Amino acid sequence: MTLDGTRILLIIAGGIAAYKSLDLIRRLRERGAVVRPVMTRAAQEFVTPLAVGALSSGHVYTELFSREDEQDVGHIRLARDCDLVLVAPATADLMAKMAHGMADDLASTVLLASDRPILIAPAMNPKMWAAAATQRNLAVLKNDGVDVVGPLEGEMAESGERGLGRMAEPLDIVAAVENLLSRPKPLAGRKAVVTSGPTHEPIDPVRYIANRSSGKQGHAIAAALARLGADVTLVSGPVSIPDPAGVNTQHVERAEEMRDAVIASLPADIAVMVAAVADWRVVSSSGQKIKKQPGEAPPPLQLAENPDILKTIGHHAQRPQLVVGFAAETQNVEENGRAKLERKGADLIVANDVSPETGIMGGDRNSVRLISKTGVEAWPDLSKDEVAERLALWIATQIGGAKP
Ligand code: CTP
């Protein structure tokens, strides 16, 4: 039995697909899972707690303010006494509540209080699924680390409309559960530090020197390492994207602050320096806004070199076992990458061509070459998430199994 003893908290929300949850409970239990059901009020309009209770052969939780339920386990324990929270069907309404952290009934409260992996199987009318608000909520949930199975294309039970919105089949949901729970965690017990985004070097209180880095690649790498089980500290310069799920994110502005935060995170097993650190800072940034003086020349900006964080880490007494740097180049990508590997004391340089015509800086795709002492490996054009996923796996292979 593939799910032998696995404890699944199944949240059934209100939708016609709730009838499929009965079959889902049966399929999960066939594989040895223990299913504890929670039903929203709307779900009880579609299937009865009696039927759900009979199939799961246990108590069905329905009320947040029920003395009986609270005495039984209490909603906080309910949220955590499981290996996985599965929401099937997940309605547009429940997804919206989850995305906004609302907790006004038992299901939404349990979801907010849970620290377990969450898998949702959305089911709704195709227009509701395609609605901008639902797609926005979906993106938020994915960024929060929620896994999603379906929905499928099909004819809606109630309206006969076709389109995306039908709940995934129970067996597909079971497969998604198995997949999620059997995900290897080759970096469990390992510590990683990742830098991401640009740095801002102040000129005066209102002006700064910056660059075009969005932080997308660094943030994706931090999230991918965390998914493989690493304990990740992300030191991020100023970016407009959200903190990734499952990662300890520290926000800094200047290169010197970034260096200090990285050093404070040592010892670590893995360092991945993705930030586009400004090479220079303004020697004495003004405490007051610099004013234009009529008839005078613009003020000269005297620059000093910033600390090279990658180089510092690559040569540090507490050097991590694996040090990875990036190389943003506009020409001679391989040659420059190889020189950087040597100069910075890195084990790997991920080199990319950031000339404006590639659209990499700020874009969603990346095309990289891995340069190490043993050679060069060119990867195809991939999304930044795919690059992150592959790089995290590459790192896991290099660093080997559990920590000695
Ligand atoms: N890096 C760093 N600290 C700096 C500059 C760069 O940690 N002050 C890191 C980056 O995070 C990246 C790598 O060094 O991992 C290479 O960055 P890049 O900007 O390509 O190289 P530079 O060192 O700035 O070299 P050059 O200006 O010659 O391209």
Side-chain angles (χ1 to χ4, degrees):
M1 287 198 284
T2 49
L3 293 172
D4 212 5
T6 305
R7 298 161 311 156
I8 296 176
L9 186 75
L10 172 65
I11 296 181
I12 306 175
I16 188 71
Y19 79 92
K20 283 203 219 167
S21 305
L22 298 176
D23 189 33
L24 176 62
I25 294 172
R26 210 165 57 83
R27 303 291 189 179
L28 288 167
R29 293 194 68 210
E30 270 171 12
R31 283 158 181 76
V34 179
V35 180
R36 200 178 236 180
V38 170
M39 297 178 74
T40 65
R41 194 156 293 173
Q44 297 167 56
E45 302 286 338
F46 293 92
V47 285
T48 66
L50 198 65
V52 171
L55 278 166
S56 58
S57 75
H59 188 72
V60 180
Y61 298 83
T62 53
E63 297 301 325
L64 183 55
F65 301 112
S66 142
R67 185 131 49 94
E68 198 188 313
D69 284 5
E70 280 297 299
Q71 271 171 0
D72 185 18
V73 276
H75 62 272
I76 301 293
R77 258 190 59 204
L78 194 59
R80 300 190 182 159
D81 258 8
C82 61
D83 301 301
L84 172 86
V85 182
L86 171 62
V87 189
T91 55
D93 178 63
L94 188 53
M95 284 175 62
K97 281 184 181 169
M98 288 171 75
H100 291 87
M102 286 170 68
D104 63 354
D105 64 359
L106 183 62
S108 52
T109 304
V110 159
L111 282 160
L112 191 60
S114 183
D115 56 1
R116 318 305 305 172
I118 300 176
L119 172 68
I120 64 171
M124 65 197 71
N125 169 281
K127 294 241 162 39
M128 289 170 79
W129 175 253
T134 304
Q135 290 303 311
R136 229 172 15 241
N137 292 335
L138 178 69
V140 168
L141 292 174
K142 282 187 175 170
N143 186 68
D144 288 346
V146 170
D147 276 82
V148 184
V149 52
L152 306 174
E153 162 110 33
E155 195 161 313
M156 299 308 292
E158 76 271 42
S159 62
E161 266 176 88
R162 284 197 72 78
L164 273 182
R166 200 161 61 86
M167 187 168 86
E169 290 304 326
L171 281 178
D172 294 332
I173 298 176
V174 171
V177 168
E178 286 171 341
N179 190 332
L180 201 159
L181 291 171
S182 65
R183 235 174 243 168
K185 300 263 186 227
L187 292 176
R190 300 291 190 168
K191 255 190 81 184
V193 55
V194 179
T195 64
S196 182
T199 63
H200 284 183
E201 307 297 334
I203 297 170
D204 67 17
V206 296
R207 306 182 179 95
Y208 55 82
I209 301 177
N211 60 64
R212 295 186 195 280
S213 169
S214 64
K216 283 179 189 165
Q217 187 64 84
H219 278 51
I221 289 169
L225 290 169
R227 280 197 297 276
L228 294 188
D231 171 8
V232 183
T233 298
L234 170 65
V235 183
S236 170
V239 293
S240 57
I241 55 175
D243 294 350
V247 165
N248 162 25
T249 305
Q250 295 179 17
H251 297 272
V252 296
E253 295 252 332
R254 298 179 293 113
E256 289 172 313
E257 290 170 349
M258 187 174 270
R259 174 207 47 202
D260 293 346
V262 170
I263 289 177
S265 78
L266 298 179
D269 304 289
I270 302 156
V272 191
M273 305 288 96
V274 197
V277 183
D279 288 319
W280 304 285
R281 66 178 179 281
V282 178
V283 171
S284 45
S285 65
S286 166
Q288 304 297 328
K289 183 181 172 197
I290 304 170
K291 304 291 286 179
K292 280 197 301 286
Q293 302 297 346
E296 275 188 26
L301 283 184
Q302 204 196 334
L303 301 177
E305 201 166 315
N306 260 332
D308 188 320
I309 304 170
L310 174 59
K311 196 170 162 189
T312 306
I313 296 302
H315 296 95
H316 199 271
Q318 287 184 294
R319 183 190 192 276
Q321 185 184 334
L322 196 69
V323 175
V324 179
F326 270 65
E329 306 291 348
T330 54
Q331 53 192 350
N332 305 333
V333 179
E334 244 172 75
E335 203 179 304
N336 288 333
R338 241 187 271 270
K340 268 179 199 170
L341 183 78
E342 190 61 36
R343 193 168 76 238
K344 306 218 182 194
D347 301 297
L348 178 74
I349 289 286
V350 182
N352 53 17
D353 184 349
V354 292
S355 35
E357 60 274 18
T358 62
I360 282 173
M361 217 68 171
D364 289 320
R365 299 195 71 77
N366 210 347
S367 167
V368 303
R369 264 170 272 183
L370 264 61
I371 302 171
S372 67
K373 290 191 187 92
T374 52
V376 179
E377 190 180 321
W379 283 359
D381 179 44
L382 298 166
S383 74
K384 287 185 174 173
D385 282 335
E386 287 164 339
V387 168
E389 203 69 42
R390 283 175 73 148
L391 184 63
L393 287 170
W394 189 94
I395 288 171
T397 318
Q398 292 297 311
I399 209 138
K403 202 173 175 173

